[in-house]
Amino acid sequence: MQALQTGRSPALRGAPHRRNAGIVRKTWSRVDAVRVQAAESTVPVDFSIKCKVDYGESVRLVGNQAFLGNWKPNKAIEMRWTEGNIWKAEARVAVGTEVEFKVVKMKPDGEATWEEGDNRTFKILGPEYGLNVSSAWAKPQDTKIDAFKLSDGSKQPHASASSNGVGAAAQQAQQQQQQQGGGGGGSKGSGRSREASATSSATSSMDAGDSSSRGANTALLSKSSFEEESCSRGAWVGADPEFVRSRKKDERPAGVWRTEGLSGVALALVQGDEQASSWLKKLGLQKKLLVDEPPACRPRLADLAFLYVYATWINTGALPCAESGSHYRPNHHANLALAMFRSLEWVIGDATRGGGGRNPAAEKLILAARRMHTRLPSFSGEFRVSTPLTRIRDIAHRNDIPKPLKDEIKHTLQNKLHRSAGPEDLVATEVMLQRITAKPGEYSEAFVEEFKIFTRELREFFNASGLVELLQGTLPALDDAHGSAVRQLLQLKDRVEAAGGGGNGNGASGGAKLDDLMALLTATTQARSFYSAGLVAGLRNDVTDEVLAMRQRWRLADIRLEEYAFVVLSRIIGQLEEQGAPAKLPKATNLQWALPLAALTSGLRHMGLSLYDTRELLVLENELQRWHSTSPLTETRDAALRAKATLERALRVATEYSDALTDVYGQPAAALGRALGLPEHMGAIFAEAEVRASMAFQVSKLASMLARALRTAAGQEPWDVLVPGEVCGVLRESASLDSDALGPASSSSSNGNGNGGDDGVVLMVRRADGDEELGPLGPRLRAVVLLQELPHLSHLGVRARQDRVPFMTCDDADVINRVLRPLLGRRVTLTATGDCAVNLREGGSAAAATSAAGAAKQPAAKAATPAAGSAAPDAAAITAVGTAYAAGKWGEVVVPLDKAATATCGSKSAKCGALVALAAASGGLFAAPRGAVLPFGCLEAAVAAAGRDTEARFKELLGQLEDGGKTSDGAALDAACAQLQALVAGLAVPPALVQQVVKSLTGGKAAAEQQLLLAVRSSANVEDLAGMSAAGLYDSVVGVAAADDGAVGAAVAAVWASLYTRRAVLSRRSAGVPQSSARMAVLVMEMVAPDLSFVLHTARPRDGNDKVLLAEVAPGQGETLASGVRGTPWRFEVEKASGKVDTLAYANFSTALMLPVQGTAAAVPAFAAYGSGAATSLIEGSSSGGHAAPRPHVPTALVDREVDYSTQRMSADKDWRVATVQKLAAVGGSIEKAMGGVPQDIEGGVVLGQDGSMALHVFQTRPQ
């Protein structure tokens, strides 16, 4: 790998004010500093910024508070210079204040130079703590925030930790020795810890540590800086150890145990903790809830989440342990750990077995069980025997140490360990070790060596050993290949860490070289793969305790190697940034891209080795290797866009993993923290700490960097504009596009910058499923900024254009944090143009915004009513259908597709009938599927056939929907819709009617077409109309076996029921269409199983240009393309006259809906170490969204299969891609011409033959 040239990357320059600022995540650590608390409700905040300036310059802190100048540099706080170019300042800040600031350099003439990067932010969480805020110029990502306690005493640095959350740092011991003169009587700690929870910072800088000694007779006691960083999320936050020289009276720290609102394991934990004072009893409580009470000793996901949070707070000292008054040897703790280990392994084994497709719930179980492993003590053979820890007893009775020290060891360590060991004992032991080794020669060498051995043994008991010691302990059980990989890792680890953690990666200025770091990451990945593969086999019920003990070491090795790889990858990313990679990669050669891509691949492999979305991660590796080896990534726009699509797919996986962690631990940590009286922030940031300490966090950082570089190389904007426009409104954020997304209306409220009086909202939405309605949100909705990718021709995109709501997407975290989030709650003017240029600025005219929005929406609203009226059903035909249905004359009920008319079967059915004729006359240009229709009136006839009570109930519920006053509030509307859907979905469709439909579709050949699959689709009188397409508003069910009368009948009923979803009802209300006038026909068509699906808009939708066609293509069934499945399609613009094809985006949907291929291998082979089978999961018909009622399962024949775009010709073969898109454009032009020149919205599919042939099928068309 040829390293990038040395140099700093000019990051996106943050503007000198809050508008272009982002949010910096805090890195919290605990500092037992002591300060007298002021009587008022303010706390001290000390700022330290490392910054080099030119002669005459000064440094100021500018931010959102008065003492920070309210973003005016000339009024901001001025810092003072100290040795080492450290600038300092102090302030007192009110409790609850959210502070946001940047650093500026001031010249003597008053000119301000603003630092680059995001804003730094923090919040004063409580009156008991002050803060130390430290960082460096232009490095907001390295901001560190230390909380210190406001009380009498003096400052003491915090204890660092081992991976399971127990341990103590050398700094603490040195401070104590200075304060105590080497004697006892350390700081006392009673009551619950109120310290800031320690979280991992992926970007924190760490000094290089010394290599560990590996002498045969010397305990391995030093962890390298890499190792310390890898386990920083478990830092000790409890009270400092108290060294005593006589037995201390047993006192249990005061506690809080609130049970209000708790249930299940959460309630049991809080109630049990009140009775469980010692660590042993707390372990017993965990064992009871993890092993004894769950069925078959398999705890649920929610149980594991609460237990992990609880165990973490115990192991880190947030929940202190007390002595029990009785003697309990280590075997009691070890036996509890053994039982819990076995249950956790069963959970993981059960979750990895089975031949089904991806199971996110199982992945979360594995995630939670693996983490819980790190909170258990060891149950190795030496700890299972019923003997005390004899070495500390012998140490306490030595004659070569002073009596005061002997007394401290005896009463602080020996007696405490014999009575009731706990995590605090390892902390005390580490501090004692630092004391006795601080001055070489002060104590006898034999005593010091013996104490080192004891420390190593205690670390082993608490599973807190260093990585090297842990791996070396597994070597006797490894085969040659595995052992060789581990030894190679240890050698590389020594070499890299000896070089130090600094430098810029080229070795010239000190520190490890990038190539060496990459070799270390590769070796870590290789060594871990052996452990992971050995753990996949699962756990037999009859294994011995010795085998279980070795398996625990392997499990911990697997986890610790992942944590170590996290740090190595972090160092690689940091050095890439130091070398200026973000700025240089857009023009870099493939040789220079090799190392960043290899690093990303290693990160993805580690996620897969943790058994998360394994096939997806394998596919990503295949794609990255293919694109890198095929052509220079930055040489052409197509190459850059193609690789960018894969990187965005990798980023999506990392985001989903982070979301899973938040889902698992967010609510349990908050609830348990409140119940146990811990500081609010400990529960609030628990899940974030887990996210930031996960490999997904580093993968996300690297994938984002690389994707931005390729976007620059391709000349793309970070925005994607679906509907251009300019609006004004208050910028707000919502998780989804639901009914309360806009928040309460309040014309008199202030928006935070003095501009109130208008309720227009520019809505920033985190997620969308693609089937939402914008109309029901009303005129307050001015624009939508969606923080995920979305197909332009998806249902949601079509609705945004019809409602004339400016709509854009942005999934670039840097832009979101730097441009959007700082303006939340403020009035903004948003301008989006068709060339994807977006401008967001603070301020704007409220009156202009209201007028513009209203004018924009009015034409669409007016167009809907005439369209609906023109589609009035034929009342006489409906009556005739009802009569024939009641008489069982099914031949008179079913309408052949070529006879379908808008007045009897809906616009969709009529146009599909016309397509059949067009296809026949197209000379083979395209085909259209056969079909038959259950016309208007069948639904009502089925209701009548169900009996008078059902019919009366149907009319009653329909009347409730008609009466907007009674169902205007969300709960009443949801209830009415749910009940009506349930009633309709439960209607029986006579098998004879289903058979008649199949006969009509096949021309009477039903018996000969037993393998026929059907697409059962909606065809309402209020869809597929000019001005009211209702795209995706009603359900379709695809892949239904024609021979299964029950499945077809259930699909028909499901389509009928979709007429009454909450979204559909609100959509009709918004358009002024009475609910009673809505009718639903059902179009049953022969299902084509396409290899590719497409949507064409024959006039470019963003500007209506009828000279340019827009095409979007996705693998598999069209549901992927039309819905809001996360990902992008292949997107093309075609000049109709010349046939010129412009590729705008490459597809990166993770999966496609396909028919299973009999007798062939799975689309993506499973990697043995991942433990996953082939994809065989069945899917249900598309959801009606919103608050859909439960309905019968509709069996379908489709499977969800991962897509490897390196094997897709649309991505890999340019000539084939262009030719195929040109054929699609020809089909679009032909259909548009046949429809009178009216721009069309066309859906279809491409079927590829094994001989290379291609058949185009058109499924429907409607006015664009």
Side-chain angles (χ1 to χ4, degrees):
M1 162 65 187
Q2 178 182 344
L4 294 167
Q5 294 180 4
T6 304
R8 294 186 58 81
S9 166
L12 292 172
R13 182 174 296 277
H17 43 65
R18 61 188 176 278
R19 293 185 187 133
N20 293 332
I23 293 178
V24 175
R25 297 295 184 188
K26 279 78 70 179
T27 301
W28 288 96
S29 65
R30 171 183 174 270
V31 177
D32 246 355
V34 223
R35 191 168 295 186
V36 178
Q37 181 178 352
E40 65 271 21
S41 58
T42 63
V43 298
V45 180
D46 295 345
F47 297 90
S48 298
I49 303 292
K50 187 172 184 178
C51 179
K52 186 177 181 180
V53 300
D54 293 333
Y55 179 77
E57 287 185 329
S58 61
V59 176
R60 297 192 180 195
L61 301 179
V62 187
N64 65 340
Q65 302 298 319
F67 76 93
L68 296 170
N70 287 320
W71 296 107
K72 297 178 181 177
N74 61 330
K75 296 183 179 181
I77 186 171
E78 187 167 349
M79 308 188 79
R80 66 182 184 278
W81 181 89
T82 64
E83 192 69 31
N85 290 322
I86 305 297
W87 295 77
K88 296 188 176 183
E90 297 81 29
R92 294 199 68 87
V93 186
V95 172
T97 302
E98 294 189 6
V99 178
E100 187 174 352
F101 72 96
K102 293 182 83 75
V103 184
V104 298
K105 297 178 182 178
M106 296 290 291
K107 294 182 181 298
D109 61 3
E111 179 184 350
T113 301
W114 293 73
E115 67 175 341
E116 298 175 344
D118 294 338
N119 290 355
R120 299 168 175 84
T121 67
F122 62 88
K123 182 177 180 180
I124 304 299
L125 296 171
E128 299 153 339
Y129 295 90
L131 297 178
N132 288 328
V133 181
S134 58
S135 190
W137 170 265
K139 291 186 177 181
Q141 71 273 16
D142 289 345
T143 300
K144 184 177 181 182
I145 302 177
D146 295 330
F148 55 80
K149 198 170 189 177
L150 299 175
S151 59
D152 293 332
S154 57
K155 292 186 179 181
Q156 296 174 0
H158 73 287
S160 69
S162 60
S163 64
N164 73 345
V166 291
Q171 284 183 326
Q172 183 180 27
Q174 292 166 350
Q175 285 280 4
Q176 285 184 335
Q177 185 170 15
Q178 292 169 5
Q179 295 165 8
Q180 302 163 10
S187 61
K188 296 181 180 180
S190 64
R192 286 260 163 90
S193 166
R194 293 294 186 269
E195 311 300 335
S197 174
T199 68
S200 170
S201 170
T203 56
S204 62
S205 61
M206 301 289 294
D207 294 332
D210 295 333
S211 297
S212 302
S213 170
R214 292 182 180 81
N217 298 317
T218 302
L220 187 67
L221 294 171
S222 299
K223 294 190 182 75
S224 68
S225 63
F226 280 41
E227 290 181 66
E228 292 288 0
E229 187 175 341
S230 73
C231 56
S232 60
R233 79 167 183 265
W236 182 258
V237 299
D240 295 320
E242 180 181 5
F243 292 91
V244 296
R245 297 172 182 174
S246 61
R247 178 164 182 178
K248 176 185 172 184
K249 181 181 178 182
D250 294 341
E251 292 180 356
R252 181 174 185 183
V256 175
W257 298 277
R258 303 185 184 101
T259 58
E260 300 85 1
L262 299 181
S263 61
V265 166
L267 178 61
L269 275 174
V270 175
Q271 291 175 332
D273 184 74
E274 187 172 8
Q275 306 302 318
S277 57
S278 69
W279 185 48
L280 178 62
K281 291 181 179 179
K282 293 179 189 294
L283 279 175
L285 173 63
Q286 295 171 60
K287 186 255 185 182
K288 173 185 174 184
L289 299 175
L290 195 151
V291 180
D292 299 340
E293 294 189 352
C297 304
R298 269 76 164 176
R300 301 175 306 140
L301 176 62
D303 303 342
L304 287 172
F306 278 107
L307 286 163
Y308 175 73
V309 174
Y310 179 70
T312 297
W313 284 338
I314 292 171
N315 284 21
T316 57
L319 294 175
C321 301
E323 294 192 38
S324 64
S326 301
H327 285 223
Y328 291 100
R329 294 170 178 177
N331 63 302
H332 294 277
H333 309 75
N335 288 331
L336 292 172
L338 189 151
M340 287 189 278
F341 178 86
R342 183 185 283 112
S343 278
L344 292 171
E345 287 296 295
W346 284 339
V347 167
I348 295 173
D350 291 348
T352 55
R353 279 194 290 269
R358 185 190 175 195
N359 185 342
E363 291 173 351
K364 289 181 179 180
L365 263 175
I366 295 169
L367 175 155
R370 289 182 76 250
R371 274 172 162 70
M372 190 66 194
H373 272 308
T374 65
R375 299 300 181 244
L376 303 181
S378 172
F379 51 86
S380 294
E382 63 267 33
F383 303 121
R384 293 198 310 275
V385 296
S386 182
T387 57
L389 296 170
T390 56
R391 192 178 304 275
I392 191 62
R393 179 194 62 196
D394 297 339
I395 290 173
H397 291 82
R398 293 181 67 96
N399 293 321
D400 57 351
I401 56 176
K403 185 177 187 305
L405 182 58
K406 288 175 62 173
D407 290 341
E408 287 182 15
I409 293 175
K410 178 178 180 180
H411 294 288
T412 304
L413 295 176
Q414 178 199 345
N415 291 344
K416 171 66 167 60
L417 285 167
H418 285 185
R419 288 194 299 270
S420 185
E424 67 281 358
D425 297 321
L426 182 55
V427 177
T429 300
E430 300 275 9
V431 172
M432 178 65 75
L433 177 64
Q434 285 299 130
R435 279 178 52 192
I436 66 176
T437 57
K439 296 180 180 180
E442 182 177 9
Y443 300 103
S444 75
E445 183 177 344
F447 159 67
V448 172
E449 188 65 24
E450 195 72 4
F451 198 91
K452 286 182 178 180
I453 296 173
F454 165 70
T455 304
R456 176 179 57 80
E457 291 173 345
L458 200 60
R459 282 183 176 178
E460 290 177 357
F461 176 56
F462 285 102
N463 274 325
S465 300
L467 177 62
V468 174
E469 195 168 17
L470 175 63
L471 296 182
Q472 287 180 337
T474 67
L475 281 174
L478 307 184
D479 59 28
D480 291 343
H482 191 174
S484 175
V486 171
R487 292 184 184 91
Q488 182 181 9
L489 165 62
L490 295 179
Q491 292 172 1
L492 283 167
K493 181 177 184 293
D494 272 348
R495 186 172 78 228
V496 170
E497 292 181 359
N504 56 20
N506 61 11
S509 58
K513 295 181 180 180
L514 258 178
D515 286 340
D516 288 340
L517 283 169
M518 188 63 235
L520 178 59
L521 179 60
T522 301
T524 305
T525 309
Q526 179 67 18
R528 186 188 172 203
S529 69
F530 280 104
Y531 288 107
S532 299
L535 291 166
V536 164
L539 185 66
R540 291 174 49 181
N541 294 332
D542 58 350
V543 296
T544 65
D545 292 347
E546 287 71 22
V547 171
L548 283 175
M550 181 55 72
R551 188 178 180 90
Q552 184 187 41
R553 294 192 192 99
W554 278 47
R555 180 63 71 186
L556 291 174
D558 173 61
I559 294 169
R560 293 285 298 280
L561 283 169
E562 180 184 12
E563 294 173 347
Y564 187 75
F566 167 96
V567 177
V568 179
L569 183 55
S570 173
R571 300 297 178 94
I572 290 173
I573 295 170
Q575 292 199 5
L576 286 171
E577 291 172 341
E578 285 290 323
Q579 289 190 13
K584 296 177 181 178
L585 281 172
K587 297 181 180 179
T589 66
N590 266 21
L591 186 61
Q592 292 169 314
W593 272 89
L595 188 144
L597 289 177
L600 178 63
T601 298
S602 287
L604 294 170
R605 283 191 183 179
H606 276 282
M607 292 178 64
L609 290 170
S610 298
L611 303 178
Y612 183 81
D613 205 358
T614 53
R615 288 185 297 271
E616 173 77 348
L617 295 166
L618 282 168
V619 164
L620 284 169
E621 185 173 344
N622 291 342
E623 290 184 19
L624 290 172
Q625 290 176 348
R626 174 70 184 274
W627 307 146
H628 186 251
S629 63
T630 299
S631 62
L633 297 179
T634 60
E635 187 173 87
T636 66
R637 185 169 183 268
D638 274 2
L641 289 175
R642 182 172 62 187
K644 181 177 79 78
T646 298
L647 290 169
E648 288 173 341
R649 184 176 178 182
L651 182 60
R652 188 167 67 238
V653 175
T655 301
E656 289 170 353
Y657 184 90
S658 299
D659 290 345
L661 277 173
T662 302
D663 290 343
V664 171
Y665 296 117
Q667 187 277 331
L672 200 57
R674 285 192 301 268
L676 293 172
L678 296 178
E680 180 182 355
H681 66 274
M682 293 192 73
I685 68 173
F686 188 95
E688 180 184 344
E690 293 295 317
V691 169
R692 293 177 67 83
S694 70
M695 180 59 72
F697 181 81
Q698 300 295 358
V699 167
S700 177
K701 285 182 62 178
L702 184 53
S704 294
M705 177 200 298
L706 302 182
R708 280 196 295 270
L710 289 173
R711 187 181 67 218
T712 300
Q716 270 195 337
E717 295 290 335
W719 301 88
D720 192 10
V721 177
L722 280 71
V723 183
E726 179 173 288
V727 296
C728 294
V730 177
L731 182 64
R732 292 183 178 171
E733 184 174 11
S734 176
S736 60
L737 275 168
D738 53 24
S739 59
D740 57 356
L742 300 181
S746 177
S747 60
S748 61
S749 64
S750 171
N751 55 34
N753 60 355
N755 296 324
D758 178 66
D759 277 325
V761 174
V762 175
L763 192 62
M764 187 169 76
V765 183
R766 293 194 291 272
R767 292 287 182 269
D769 61 23
D771 282 330
E772 295 86 351
E773 288 288 319
L774 300 180
L777 292 175
R780 291 180 61 213
L781 178 64
R782 300 294 161 76
V784 174
V785 180
L786 179 61
L787 306 186
Q788 69 173 63
E789 60 274 85
L790 187 78
H792 285 211
L793 306 184
S794 64
H795 297 149
L796 181 55
V798 170
R799 292 167 193 156
R801 281 186 287 274
Q802 291 180 340
D803 291 336
R804 303 190 181 184
V805 175
F807 196 109
M808 62 226 67
T809 68
C810 179
D811 60 355
D812 188 302
D814 176 68
V815 174
I816 294 167
N817 290 330
R818 183 172 49 84
V819 177
L820 288 167
R821 295 199 187 280
L823 293 176
L824 283 172
R826 299 180 175 273
R827 180 169 303 288
V828 298
T829 297
L830 175 68
T831 305
T833 63
D835 59 355
C836 294
V838 175
N839 179 266
L840 186 69
R841 62 185 185 276
E842 188 172 352
S845 168
T850 304
S851 172
K857 287 192 178 185
Q858 195 63 29
K862 288 182 178 180
T865 302
S870 67
D874 186 330
I878 289 175
T879 301
V881 166
T883 301
Y885 195 105
K889 298 180 178 180
W890 309 123
E892 298 178 19
V893 173
V894 178
V895 178
L897 187 56
D898 60 351
K899 305 294 184 182
T902 300
T904 59
C905 300
S907 176
K908 181 184 291 184
S909 294
K911 286 184 170 63
C912 285
L915 279 174
V916 174
L918 286 175
S922 71
L925 181 62
F926 69 93
R930 303 171 290 177
V933 187
L934 292 175
F936 299 143
C938 284
L939 165 57
E940 293 74 13
V943 170
R948 293 182 179 179
D949 291 344
T950 299
E951 187 173 19
R953 181 60 176 159
F954 176 83
K955 292 179 179 179
E956 177 188 353
L957 291 171
L958 189 58
Q960 291 179 19
L961 296 184
E962 201 70 78
D963 188 346
K966 290 184 178 180
T967 56
S968 57
D969 68 281
L973 177 62
D974 290 347
C977 289
Q979 292 175 55
L980 190 52
Q981 281 185 269
L983 185 151
V984 175
L987 293 174
V989 178
L993 176 57
V994 171
Q995 294 163 13
Q996 181 63 43
V997 169
V998 174
K999 288 181 180 180
S1000 178
L1001 185 152
T1002 62
K1005 300 178 180 178
E1009 301 201 24
Q1010 292 297 306
Q1011 302 302 315
L1012 178 68
L1013 295 177
L1014 303 176
V1016 183
R1017 311 175 65 194
S1018 66
S1019 184
N1021 66 321
V1022 283
E1023 66 174 323
D1024 284 9
L1025 305 170
M1028 193 176 185
S1029 73
L1033 191 59
Y1034 307 109
D1035 276 5
S1036 293
V1037 183
V1038 297
V1040 183
D1044 188 338
D1045 297 342
V1048 177
V1052 169
V1055 174
W1056 282 340
S1058 69
L1059 189 63
Y1060 304 111
T1061 64
R1062 185 179 192 275
R1063 289 190 303 104
V1065 170
L1066 288 175
S1067 177
R1068 292 193 290 271
R1069 282 186 185 177
S1070 178
V1073 176
Q1075 305 297 330
S1076 59
S1077 69
R1079 301 280 180 168
M1080 179 64 76
V1082 177
L1083 171 60
V1084 182
M1085 306 177 72
E1086 175 186 17
M1087 194 193 86
V1088 177
D1091 297 282
L1092 303 169
S1093 292
F1094 61 82
V1095 176
L1096 311 175
H1097 277 205
T1098 59
R1100 187 166 60 190
R1102 62 181 166 85
D1103 57 7
N1105 186 344
D1106 61 3
K1107 302 295 192 295
V1108 178
L1109 174 144
L1110 180 67
E1112 290 192 330
V1113 183
Q1117 288 288 326
E1119 279 70 20
T1120 300
L1121 185 59
S1123 68
V1125 174
R1126 294 194 64 189
T1128 57
W1130 291 287
R1131 185 176 298 124
F1132 310 96
E1133 285 186 352
V1134 185
E1135 292 182 0
K1136 293 181 180 178
S1138 66
K1140 178 185 175 184
V1141 176
D1142 185 13
T1143 302
L1144 305 181
Y1146 279 76
N1148 66 5
F1149 293 113
S1150 296
T1151 59
L1153 298 178
M1154 309 285 288
L1155 284 175
V1157 180
Q1158 300 296 326
T1160 62
V1164 181
F1167 181 41
Y1170 291 175
S1172 299
T1176 57
S1177 58
L1178 295 182
I1179 62 163
E1180 294 187 7
S1182 57
S1183 170
S1184 58
H1187 300 75
R1191 63 189 188 204
H1193 172 68
V1194 182
T1196 68
L1198 299 178
V1199 295
D1200 218 4
R1201 300 172 67 191
E1202 286 77 11
V1203 183
D1204 184 349
Y1205 290 96
S1206 68
T1207 65
Q1208 293 279 327
R1209 293 188 72 182
M1210 190 65 85
S1211 286
D1213 187 335
K1214 179 179 179 180
D1215 293 341
W1216 188 90
R1217 177 171 62 250
V1218 171
T1220 301
V1221 174
Q1222 288 173 337
K1223 290 180 181 179
L1224 296 179
V1227 170
S1230 173
I1231 294 175
E1232 181 186 58
K1233 181 178 180 180
M1235 295 298 173
V1238 177
Q1240 295 292 298
D1241 175 355
I1242 302 167
E1243 296 180 16
V1246 180
V1247 177
L1248 303 175
Q1250 294 184 351
D1251 58 355
S1253 61
M1254 177 191 307
L1256 303 183
H1257 297 257
V1258 176
F1259 305 147
Q1260 74 175 58
T1261 186
R1262 58 185 166 222
Q1264 188 179 320

